[in-house]
Amino acid sequence: SKSSWLSRLTSGLSRTGQNISSLFVGVKVDEALFEELETALIMADAGVEATEKLLAALRARVRKEKIADAALVKAALRDLLAEHLAPLEKDFPIDRAAPLVVMIAGVNGAGKTTSIGKLANAFQRQGKSVLLAAGDTFRAAAREQLIAWGTRNNVTVIAQDGGDPAAVAFDAVNAGRARSADVVMVDTAGRLPTQLHLMEELKKIKRVIGKADGQAPHEVLLVVDGNTGQNAISQIRAFDAAIELTGLVVTKLDGTAKGGALAAVAAGSQGVRPVPVYWIGVGEGLEDLQPFVAREFATAVVG
Ligand code: GDP
């Protein structure tokens, strides 16, 4: 249920011992409080830029509204964080093409396979037919896993034994059209055998998908492990430069205190483009992929 994943998110985000909510209990509104907040936001991997921006806005609001009660400072921070994160909130436009072609990238271990499974399941529950392209042709095990998963869940998986990932993607888009699928999800490798360059490989896959359908891929998603905080920022920057991301799936936010990294993304810190966060992963179960809602997230972080 909604409340259970929100509480997992909340407990995950407060795992540093820097529970932001607790900083407001029984204290005066003074410089010491702002300094504690600064430390907590930095520790949550919000980054210096977003932290400074949020705290400057908070100080200004506290001064202007003459807020003297710490509980009201907390409410103001929650509001400011929600406003700050709001540009990352966007509904996934599933009906904008048929089939909608979604290319999915991410480094190994980020939660790509799990997220693809959760997404396929969510789309099916919305009455959409789903086709998957097993684009990680470098890992036989990944392909086998996806095929087995597809068989269990009634999802067609287009695969090729050790073939060219771009060719698999091309075939999948054509198969999706021929079968009138609603959504084609193209999985890609998260690591390549040596000598080959992952970003070049991904660019090629994207280009070849465009040859099968001039408008595709309609969405280019990056799955990032929210637990890696500032590392996630570098990944977003690198993948965006190569394949122009249209959205993010941020996983493992149920077990991390580094969810503040989303504030860094929203701030466009360190040269990152603020890319919409379509979903957040809050557990390993099929239903543990939730749309990103800025206000809910801000409430989970601040309390
Ligand atoms: P891939 O290499 O990117 O395909 O990663 P996997 O999908 O295999 O996921 C790696 C591990 O992370 C698995 O044990 C998943 O169950 C776990 N995982 C993925 N998403 C989440 C999440 O949102 N929360 C938690 N707690 N675990 C996750």
Side-chain angles (χ1 to χ4, degrees):
S1 73
K2 185 153 203 160
S3 59
S4 76
W5 73 256
L6 264 180
S7 69
R8 273 204 309 281
L9 178 62
T10 308
S11 65
L13 289 169
S14 56
R15 211 169 269 187
T16 41
Q18 278 289 351
N19 187 338
I20 294 183
S21 184
S22 69
L23 298 179
F24 297 96
V25 180
V27 297
K28 286 198 302 250
V29 179
D30 57 11
E31 191 48 34
L33 174 61
F34 287 107
E35 274 167 25
E36 296 256 26
L37 285 175
E38 182 170 25
T39 308
L41 286 169
I42 297 276
M43 287 189 61
D45 262 2
V48 173
E49 215 175 313
T51 299
E52 303 284 296
K53 188 180 160 190
L54 282 166
L55 283 181
L58 184 64
R59 284 174 199 273
R61 190 168 290 189
V62 165
R63 208 176 305 121
K64 181 160 171 271
E65 296 175 9
K66 302 190 170 58
I67 299 174
D69 176 350
L72 296 177
V73 178
K74 174 169 142 175
L77 178 61
R78 188 196 303 125
D79 288 348
L80 287 166
L81 183 60
E83 285 165 31
H84 175 78
L85 294 170
L88 301 183
E89 186 179 317
K90 192 179 169 202
D91 282 335
F92 188 71
I94 191 166
D95 287 321
R96 69 182 248 242
L100 185 85
V101 179
V102 186
M103 177 174 168
I104 304 182
V107 301
N108 285 353
K112 194 157 50 70
T113 311
T114 309
S115 298
I116 288 173
K118 290 171 176 174
L119 283 175
N121 184 264
F123 292 150
Q124 281 184 321
R125 276 187 282 122
Q126 292 173 43
K128 307 292 180 191
S129 58
V130 179
L131 190 139
L132 291 182
D136 186 354
T137 59
F138 299 97
R139 282 197 303 176
R143 189 178 60 238
E144 297 312 320
Q145 200 186 331
L146 208 59
I147 292 171
W149 187 91
T151 308
R152 275 200 312 277
N153 293 278
N154 218 4
V155 171
T156 307
V157 178
I158 304 292
Q160 232 179 54
D161 207 0
D164 176 5
V168 174
F170 185 84
D171 286 353
V173 174
N174 284 330
R177 260 214 300 258
R179 296 167 195 219
S180 307
D182 296 309
V183 187
V184 175
M185 283 195 278
V186 180
D187 187 18
T188 60
R191 192 178 299 135
L192 298 183
T194 46
Q195 276 115 22
L196 290 171
H197 196 290
L198 179 62
M199 295 305 167
E200 294 310 314
E201 187 70 46
L202 293 173
K203 282 187 204 171
K204 179 178 164 197
I205 294 170
K206 191 181 173 194
R207 212 163 48 232
V208 170
I209 288 174
K211 292 205 167 117
D213 173 344
Q215 303 300 311
H218 304 92
E219 297 285 341
V220 181
L221 306 183
L222 179 69
V223 179
V224 280
D225 180 343
N227 205 8
T228 64
Q230 290 287 307
N231 251 335
I233 306 281
S234 335
Q235 283 175 24
I236 296 167
R237 203 173 45 222
F239 281 86
D240 192 30
I243 51 175
E244 218 180 314
L245 302 174
T246 63
L248 302 174
V249 179
V250 183
T251 63
K252 308 187 196 180
L253 285 173
D254 50 309
T256 180
K258 296 183 177 174
L262 288 189
V265 175
S269 293
Q270 299 149 57
V272 93
R273 195 168 57 90
V275 185
V277 178
Y278 284 123
W279 295 280
I280 55 174
V282 288
E284 295 184 85
L286 267 186
E287 65 295 344
D288 293 329
L289 192 75
Q290 296 288 334
F292 172 72
V293 179
R295 177 147 290 279
E296 287 175 356
F297 194 81
T299 305
V301 173
V302 179

Tab-separated table of all heavy atoms in Angstrom, residues 8 105-118 136 139 142 145 187-188 190-191 223-226 249-256 280-285 288-289, ligand 1:
chain	number	residue	atom	x	y	z
A	8	ARG	N	8.691	3.243	4.245
A	8	ARG	CA	10.021	2.663	3.938
A	8	ARG	C	10.947	3.723	3.369
A	8	ARG	O	12.124	3.793	3.696
A	8	ARG	CB	9.887	1.520	2.929
A	8	ARG	CG	9.608	0.180	3.546
A	8	ARG	CD	10.054	-0.966	2.639
A	8	ARG	NE	9.559	-0.854	1.275
A	8	ARG	CZ	8.335	-1.166	0.892
A	8	ARG	NH1	7.456	-1.597	1.758
A	8	ARG	NH2	7.976	-1.041	-0.358
A	105	ALA	N	18.582	2.449	-20.250
A	105	ALA	CA	20.011	2.291	-20.004
A	105	ALA	C	20.294	2.321	-18.506
A	105	ALA	O	19.440	2.721	-17.708
A	105	ALA	CB	20.790	3.400	-20.710
A	106	GLY	N	21.485	1.916	-18.150
A	106	GLY	CA	21.884	1.950	-16.740
A	106	GLY	C	23.040	0.998	-16.505
A	106	GLY	O	23.144	-0.024	-17.178
A	107	VAL	N	23.910	1.360	-15.582
A	107	VAL	CA	25.054	0.491	-15.310
A	107	VAL	C	24.590	-0.770	-14.571
A	107	VAL	O	23.556	-0.751	-13.901
A	107	VAL	CB	26.156	1.213	-14.485
A	107	VAL	CG1	26.660	2.461	-15.212
A	107	VAL	CG2	25.663	1.574	-13.098
A	108	ASN	N	25.342	-1.849	-14.721
A	108	ASN	CA	24.984	-3.104	-14.060
A	108	ASN	C	24.798	-2.891	-12.561
A	108	ASN	O	25.585	-2.188	-11.933
A	108	ASN	CB	26.070	-4.158	-14.273
A	108	ASN	CG	26.048	-4.723	-15.693
A	108	ASN	OD1	25.138	-4.414	-16.468
A	108	ASN	ND2	27.042	-5.529	-16.020
A	109	GLY	N	23.746	-3.494	-12.054
A	109	GLY	CA	23.501	-3.408	-10.621
A	109	GLY	C	22.603	-2.252	-10.222
A	109	GLY	O	22.166	-2.153	-9.072
A	110	ALA	N	22.303	-1.362	-11.171
A	110	ALA	CA	21.479	-0.182	-10.855
A	110	ALA	C	20.032	-0.567	-10.548
A	110	ALA	O	19.323	0.179	-9.878
A	110	ALA	CB	21.513	0.813	-12.012
A	111	GLY	N	19.621	-1.739	-11.056
A	111	GLY	CA	18.237	-2.161	-10.863
A	111	GLY	C	17.443	-2.102	-12.158
A	111	GLY	O	16.224	-2.029	-12.157
A	112	LYS	N	18.165	-2.186	-13.270
A	112	LYS	CA	17.534	-2.061	-14.593
A	112	LYS	C	16.562	-3.217	-14.866
A	112	LYS	O	15.409	-2.983	-15.229
A	112	LYS	CB	18.641	-2.008	-15.653
A	112	LYS	CG	18.181	-1.541	-17.015
A	112	LYS	CD	19.334	-0.972	-17.834
A	112	LYS	CE	20.553	-1.881	-17.873
A	112	LYS	NZ	20.321	-3.093	-18.676
A	113	THR	N	17.051	-4.449	-14.698
A	113	THR	CA	16.194	-5.606	-14.985
A	113	THR	C	14.960	-5.601	-14.087
A	113	THR	O	13.832	-5.806	-14.555
A	113	THR	CB	16.990	-6.916	-14.770
A	113	THR	OG1	18.231	-6.793	-15.471
A	113	THR	CG2	16.242	-8.109	-15.297
A	114	THR	N	15.180	-5.367	-12.816
A	114	THR	CA	14.068	-5.319	-11.862
A	114	THR	C	13.070	-4.245	-12.270
A	114	THR	O	11.854	-4.466	-12.261
A	114	THR	CB	14.606	-4.992	-10.449
A	114	THR	OG1	15.679	-5.883	-10.154
A	114	THR	CG2	13.541	-5.127	-9.395
A	115	SER	N	13.566	-3.058	-12.628
A	115	SER	CA	12.682	-1.947	-12.980
A	115	SER	C	11.914	-2.236	-14.265
A	115	SER	O	10.738	-1.881	-14.377
A	115	SER	CB	13.493	-0.651	-13.131
A	115	SER	OG	14.101	-0.310	-11.915
A	116	ILE	N	12.568	-2.888	-15.234
A	116	ILE	CA	11.878	-3.231	-16.479
A	116	ILE	C	10.722	-4.191	-16.175
A	116	ILE	O	9.618	-4.042	-16.686
A	116	ILE	CB	12.872	-3.834	-17.509
A	116	ILE	CG1	13.789	-2.716	-18.038
A	116	ILE	CG2	12.136	-4.503	-18.658
A	116	ILE	CD1	14.930	-3.199	-18.932
A	117	GLY	N	10.976	-5.145	-15.291
A	117	GLY	CA	9.922	-6.075	-14.881
A	117	GLY	C	8.760	-5.347	-14.219
A	117	GLY	O	7.590	-5.581	-14.532
A	118	LYS	N	9.095	-4.439	-13.321
A	118	LYS	CA	8.052	-3.685	-12.614
A	118	LYS	C	7.254	-2.825	-13.592
A	118	LYS	O	6.036	-2.711	-13.492
A	118	LYS	CB	8.690	-2.761	-11.569
A	118	LYS	CG	9.302	-3.464	-10.347
A	118	LYS	CD	10.080	-2.426	-9.532
A	118	LYS	CE	10.649	-2.975	-8.229
A	118	LYS	NZ	11.499	-1.965	-7.556
A	136	ASP	N	20.787	-6.592	-23.918
A	136	ASP	CA	22.087	-6.887	-23.305
A	136	ASP	C	22.551	-8.236	-23.832
A	136	ASP	O	22.464	-9.252	-23.167
A	136	ASP	CB	21.965	-6.902	-21.778
A	136	ASP	CG	23.322	-7.061	-21.097
A	136	ASP	OD1	24.326	-7.273	-21.815
A	136	ASP	OD2	23.379	-6.969	-19.858
A	139	ARG	N	25.599	-10.362	-21.975
A	139	ARG	CA	25.442	-11.215	-20.798
A	139	ARG	C	24.376	-12.259	-21.101
A	139	ARG	O	23.179	-11.972	-21.075
A	139	ARG	CB	24.978	-10.377	-19.591
A	139	ARG	CG	26.072	-9.579	-18.920
A	139	ARG	CD	25.623	-9.125	-17.535
A	139	ARG	NE	24.393	-8.327	-17.564
A	139	ARG	CZ	23.765	-7.877	-16.483
A	139	ARG	NH1	24.218	-8.164	-15.281
A	139	ARG	NH2	22.674	-7.152	-16.593
A	142	ALA	N	21.737	-12.541	-18.514
A	142	ALA	CA	20.743	-11.465	-18.486
A	142	ALA	C	19.632	-11.762	-19.486
A	142	ALA	O	18.452	-11.566	-19.198
A	142	ALA	CB	21.404	-10.126	-18.810
A	145	GLN	N	17.477	-14.652	-18.290
A	145	GLN	CA	16.649	-14.183	-17.174
A	145	GLN	C	15.428	-13.418	-17.698
A	145	GLN	O	14.309	-13.611	-17.220
A	145	GLN	CB	17.519	-13.254	-16.315
A	145	GLN	CG	17.064	-13.029	-14.901
A	145	GLN	CD	17.948	-11.969	-14.229
A	145	GLN	OE1	19.124	-11.827	-14.575
A	145	GLN	NE2	17.385	-11.219	-13.320
A	187	ASP	N	15.895	-3.093	-23.558
A	187	ASP	CA	16.937	-3.195	-22.520
A	187	ASP	C	18.302	-3.042	-23.204
A	187	ASP	O	18.455	-3.389	-24.376
A	187	ASP	CB	16.818	-4.567	-21.846
A	187	ASP	CG	17.743	-4.716	-20.651
A	187	ASP	OD1	18.217	-3.699	-20.125
A	187	ASP	OD2	17.998	-5.865	-20.244
A	188	THR	N	19.261	-2.497	-22.498
A	188	THR	CA	20.607	-2.346	-23.065
A	188	THR	C	21.639	-2.838	-22.048
A	188	THR	O	21.316	-3.021	-20.876
A	188	THR	CB	20.916	-0.868	-23.391
A	188	THR	OG1	20.832	-0.112	-22.182
A	188	THR	CG2	19.949	-0.301	-24.412
A	190	GLY	N	24.764	-2.884	-19.461
A	190	GLY	CA	25.231	-1.935	-18.456
A	190	GLY	C	26.741	-1.950	-18.345
A	190	GLY	O	27.345	-1.168	-17.609
A	191	ARG	N	27.334	-2.842	-19.084
A	191	ARG	CA	28.802	-2.942	-19.111
A	191	ARG	C	29.137	-3.782	-20.327
A	191	ARG	O	28.407	-4.687	-20.689
A	191	ARG	CB	29.295	-3.643	-17.841
A	191	ARG	CG	30.797	-3.516	-17.660
A	191	ARG	CD	31.273	-4.173	-16.369
A	191	ARG	NE	30.702	-3.591	-15.174
A	191	ARG	CZ	30.203	-4.283	-14.152
A	191	ARG	NH1	30.184	-5.605	-14.200
A	191	ARG	NH2	29.718	-3.692	-13.090
A	223	VAL	N	18.220	4.201	-15.635
A	223	VAL	CA	17.961	3.663	-14.298
A	223	VAL	C	19.202	3.931	-13.456
A	223	VAL	O	20.302	3.498	-13.814
A	223	VAL	CB	17.672	2.144	-14.361
A	223	VAL	CG1	17.436	1.581	-12.963
A	223	VAL	CG2	16.466	1.862	-15.267
A	224	VAL	N	19.035	4.705	-12.375
A	224	VAL	CA	20.178	4.981	-11.492
A	224	VAL	C	19.865	4.506	-10.081
A	224	VAL	O	18.733	4.598	-9.611
A	224	VAL	CB	20.574	6.479	-11.408
A	224	VAL	CG1	21.396	6.893	-12.587
A	224	VAL	CG2	19.388	7.376	-11.213
A	225	ASP	N	20.907	4.025	-9.429
A	225	ASP	CA	20.804	3.569	-8.040
A	225	ASP	C	20.852	4.807	-7.132
A	225	ASP	O	21.885	5.465	-7.031
A	225	ASP	CB	21.988	2.632	-7.780
A	225	ASP	CG	22.000	2.071	-6.364
A	225	ASP	OD1	21.309	2.640	-5.484
A	225	ASP	OD2	22.705	1.073	-6.146
A	226	GLY	N	19.720	5.099	-6.490
A	226	GLY	CA	19.629	6.281	-5.644
A	226	GLY	C	20.571	6.227	-4.455
A	226	GLY	O	20.910	7.241	-3.855
A	249	VAL	N	14.681	6.680	-13.770
A	249	VAL	CA	14.085	5.802	-12.777
A	249	VAL	C	15.126	5.736	-11.665
A	249	VAL	O	16.260	5.314	-11.909
A	249	VAL	CB	13.838	4.383	-13.346
A	249	VAL	CG1	13.231	3.477	-12.279
A	249	VAL	CG2	12.960	4.435	-14.590
A	250	VAL	N	14.785	6.206	-10.485
A	250	VAL	CA	15.753	6.227	-9.389
A	250	VAL	C	15.387	5.104	-8.419
A	250	VAL	O	14.322	5.128	-7.800
A	250	VAL	CB	15.776	7.591	-8.672
A	250	VAL	CG1	16.850	7.608	-7.592
A	250	VAL	CG2	16.027	8.721	-9.685
A	251	THR	N	16.263	4.103	-8.338
A	251	THR	CA	15.955	2.896	-7.562
A	251	THR	C	16.523	2.952	-6.149
A	251	THR	O	17.318	3.833	-5.817
A	251	THR	CB	16.570	1.653	-8.242
A	251	THR	OG1	17.984	1.804	-8.257
A	251	THR	CG2	16.050	1.472	-9.654
A	252	LYS	N	16.093	1.993	-5.348
A	252	LYS	CA	16.658	1.709	-4.019
A	252	LYS	C	16.539	2.882	-3.052
A	252	LYS	O	17.374	3.040	-2.164
A	252	LYS	CB	18.121	1.245	-4.138
A	252	LYS	CG	18.278	0.085	-5.149
A	252	LYS	CD	19.652	-0.503	-5.156
A	252	LYS	CE	19.863	-1.347	-6.402
A	252	LYS	NZ	21.169	-1.949	-6.477
A	253	LEU	N	15.516	3.699	-3.229
A	253	LEU	CA	15.328	4.825	-2.308
A	253	LEU	C	14.739	4.362	-0.978
A	253	LEU	O	14.615	5.152	-0.051
A	253	LEU	CB	14.454	5.901	-2.954
A	253	LEU	CG	15.182	6.720	-4.025
A	253	LEU	CD1	14.228	7.649	-4.754
A	253	LEU	CD2	16.333	7.534	-3.422
A	254	ASP	N	14.382	3.060	-0.892
A	254	ASP	CA	13.882	2.526	0.376
A	254	ASP	C	15.032	2.251	1.336
A	254	ASP	O	14.819	2.104	2.527
A	254	ASP	CB	13.109	1.228	0.136
A	254	ASP	CG	13.889	0.243	-0.726
A	254	ASP	OD1	14.362	0.653	-1.798
A	254	ASP	OD2	14.033	-0.927	-0.310
A	255	GLY	N	16.259	2.179	0.832
A	255	GLY	CA	17.337	1.766	1.726
A	255	GLY	C	18.492	2.743	1.743
A	255	GLY	O	19.633	2.355	1.932
A	256	THR	N	18.220	4.026	1.555
A	256	THR	CA	19.333	4.948	1.440
A	256	THR	C	19.070	6.242	2.184
A	256	THR	O	17.929	6.642	2.364
A	256	THR	CB	19.620	5.287	-0.040
A	256	THR	OG1	20.724	6.191	-0.086
A	256	THR	CG2	18.426	5.946	-0.707
A	280	ILE	N	10.228	6.121	-8.920
A	280	ILE	CA	11.238	5.788	-7.917
A	280	ILE	C	11.025	4.343	-7.469
A	280	ILE	O	9.890	3.874	-7.346
A	280	ILE	CB	11.190	6.751	-6.697
A	280	ILE	CG1	9.801	6.795	-6.065
A	280	ILE	CG2	11.616	8.160	-7.114
A	280	ILE	CD1	9.756	7.612	-4.768
A	281	GLY	N	12.130	3.649	-7.255
A	281	GLY	CA	12.090	2.273	-6.762
A	281	GLY	C	12.189	2.296	-5.249
A	281	GLY	O	13.093	2.910	-4.691
A	282	VAL	N	11.214	1.663	-4.600
A	282	VAL	CA	11.183	1.696	-3.134
A	282	VAL	C	11.099	0.285	-2.547
A	282	VAL	O	10.546	0.079	-1.475
A	282	VAL	CB	10.012	2.565	-2.617
A	282	VAL	CG1	10.293	4.037	-2.869
A	282	VAL	CG2	8.693	2.171	-3.275
A	283	GLY	N	11.658	-0.697	-3.262
A	283	GLY	CA	11.645	-2.063	-2.758
A	283	GLY	C	11.819	-3.032	-3.907
A	283	GLY	O	11.923	-2.631	-5.068
A	284	GLU	N	11.883	-4.321	-3.565
A	284	GLU	CA	12.171	-5.325	-4.591
A	284	GLU	C	10.916	-5.931	-5.213
A	284	GLU	O	10.994	-6.622	-6.214
A	284	GLU	CB	13.073	-6.406	-3.998
A	284	GLU	CG	14.432	-5.837	-3.609
A	284	GLU	CD	15.385	-6.904	-3.108
A	284	GLU	OE1	16.030	-7.534	-3.952
A	284	GLU	OE2	15.467	-7.091	-1.885
A	285	GLY	N	9.768	-5.678	-4.602
A	285	GLY	CA	8.525	-6.267	-5.099
A	285	GLY	C	8.024	-5.579	-6.364
A	285	GLY	O	8.428	-4.465	-6.688
A	288	ASP	N	6.653	-2.165	-6.102
A	288	ASP	CA	7.521	-1.180	-5.456
A	288	ASP	C	8.195	-0.218	-6.432
A	288	ASP	O	9.370	0.108	-6.301
A	288	ASP	CB	8.588	-1.885	-4.609
A	288	ASP	CG	7.975	-2.606	-3.429
A	288	ASP	OD1	6.937	-2.126	-2.932
A	288	ASP	OD2	8.517	-3.642	-3.012
A	289	LEU	N	7.442	0.182	-7.428
A	289	LEU	CA	7.907	1.238	-8.320
A	289	LEU	C	6.781	2.251	-8.330
A	289	LEU	O	5.655	1.933	-8.684
A	289	LEU	CB	8.142	0.688	-9.729
A	289	LEU	CG	8.886	1.619	-10.672
A	289	LEU	CD1	10.361	1.664	-10.323
A	289	LEU	CD2	8.726	1.156	-12.113
B	1	GDP	P1	20.675	-4.597	-13.152
B	1	GDP	O1	22.050	-5.203	-13.148
B	1	GDP	O2	20.731	-3.112	-13.339
B	1	GDP	O3	19.736	-5.233	-14.097
B	1	GDP	O4	20.130	-4.773	-11.655
B	1	GDP	P2	18.994	-5.741	-11.078
B	1	GDP	O5	17.665	-5.359	-11.609
B	1	GDP	O6	19.421	-7.145	-11.227
B	1	GDP	O7	19.003	-5.278	-9.538
B	1	GDP	C1	20.145	-5.411	-8.696
B	1	GDP	C2	19.662	-5.655	-7.265
B	1	GDP	O8	18.998	-4.508	-6.764
B	1	GDP	C3	18.666	-6.798	-7.146
B	1	GDP	O9	18.952	-7.509	-5.976
B	1	GDP	C4	17.326	-6.084	-7.032
B	1	GDP	O10	16.374	-6.832	-6.329
B	1	GDP	C5	17.723	-4.844	-6.255
B	1	GDP	N1	16.793	-3.714	-6.472
B	1	GDP	C6	16.400	-3.160	-7.637
B	1	GDP	N2	15.583	-2.116	-7.415
B	1	GDP	C7	15.427	-1.994	-6.069
B	1	GDP	C8	14.711	-1.082	-5.192
B	1	GDP	O11	14.019	-0.128	-5.610
B	1	GDP	N3	14.829	-1.295	-3.846
B	1	GDP	C9	15.591	-2.316	-3.346
B	1	GDP	N4	15.662	-2.438	-2.018
B	1	GDP	N5	16.285	-3.161	-4.123
B	1	GDP	C10	16.209	-3.020	-5.468
